[in-house]
Amino acid sequence: MVASDNSYSRFIAAVKIVLPLAALALLSTLFLFSRTIDPTQAIPYSKVDVDQIVREQRVSAPNYTSVTKDGTAIAVTARTARPDITNPDRAEATDLTARLEFTDGTDVRITSDQGEIDTGKGFAVLDGDVVIDTSTGYHITTERLTTALDQTSVVADTTINADGPLGKLTAGHMTLEEDTDAPGQYLLVFKDRVKLIYDPQE
């Protein structure tokens, strides 16, 4: 019985030494045979095109307001705007609306499908199905116009179609600017191949 107890004790003692050594051996083989990590290999998530994400940035319902040197209040809003990653002053926008309130109490509302705002250069370009409504009774359509942001100056260099107090009018060019001879007054001028169908209101 004593001999048997001694054998069992020796077996337990050996197991206490062998098992930990075996575990260490197994762990060492895991490290020895594991795949070497190449730090130059890109992880899957790094394949995302950061430049594309920046290009596709959108700002919802942006607005720009200012007062020109001659006192006209300008407000430009849009449905969305996409900043230019190379020029923080510039943005492309969709569904633009521009409102100009003049010092003489009259105002103009302009809408377009899309456009560009450049606060650095001080202008906004409205492009595509441009509609201009004035408080003096003119309803004007064209394809593109440019409005300054620091002074009262609206220029349309595409074909103009207008309905107004005098009747129906077409022209190749239009400007809306402050009258240099009468500060505080504003002139809507049609130029280039102007045709008017006179229809005086009663």
Side-chain angles (χ1 to χ4, degrees), residues 9 14 16 36-37 40 43-45 88-90 112 116-117 127 137 148 152 159 165 189:
S9 299
K16 288 181 178 180
T36 303
I37 297 175
T40 64
I43 60 175
Y45 296 105
D89 293 329
R90 181 179 176 275
S112 70
E116 170 191 332
I117 301 172
D127 187 22
T152 302
T159 301
V189 179

Side-chain angles (χ1 to χ4, degrees), residues 85-173:
I85 60 174
T86 63
N87 182 358
D89 293 329
R90 181 179 176 275
E92 295 180 355
T94 61
D95 294 338
L96 274 90
T97 298
R99 187 177 182 87
L100 287 73
E101 296 181 353
F102 307 115
T103 55
D104 63 0
T106 60
D107 63 79
V108 171
R109 183 177 182 271
I110 309 169
T111 62
S112 70
D113 291 341
Q114 64 265 335
E116 170 191 332
I117 301 172
D118 193 322
T119 56
K121 293 183 177 179
F123 69 82
V125 177
L126 288 83
D127 187 22
D129 291 331
V130 178
V131 177
I132 308 157
D133 288 299
T134 75
S135 60
T136 54
Y138 283 95
H139 177 79
I140 306 164
T141 60
T142 188
E143 281 302 308
R144 184 181 64 252
L145 66 76
T146 301
T147 179
L149 300 176
D150 57 354
Q151 61 182 336
T152 302
S153 175
V154 178
V155 178
D157 56 5
T158 54
T159 301
I160 306 297
N161 293 283
D163 290 323
L166 296 179
K168 296 183 181 297
L169 180 147
T170 61
H173 188 81

Side-chain angles (χ1 to χ4, degrees), residues 2 11 13 17 29 31 38 46 62 81 86 103 106 122 139 186 197 200 202:
V2 175
F11 172 76
I17 296 173
T29 58
F31 287 106
D38 184 354
S46 67
T86 63
T103 55
T106 60
H139 177 79
Y186 301 88
I197 300 175
E202 296 183 359

Side-chain angles (χ1 to χ4, degrees), residues 47-55:
K47 293 180 181 179
V48 174
D49 189 342
V50 176
D51 289 338
Q52 181 179 0
I53 291 175
V54 173
R55 286 194 301 269

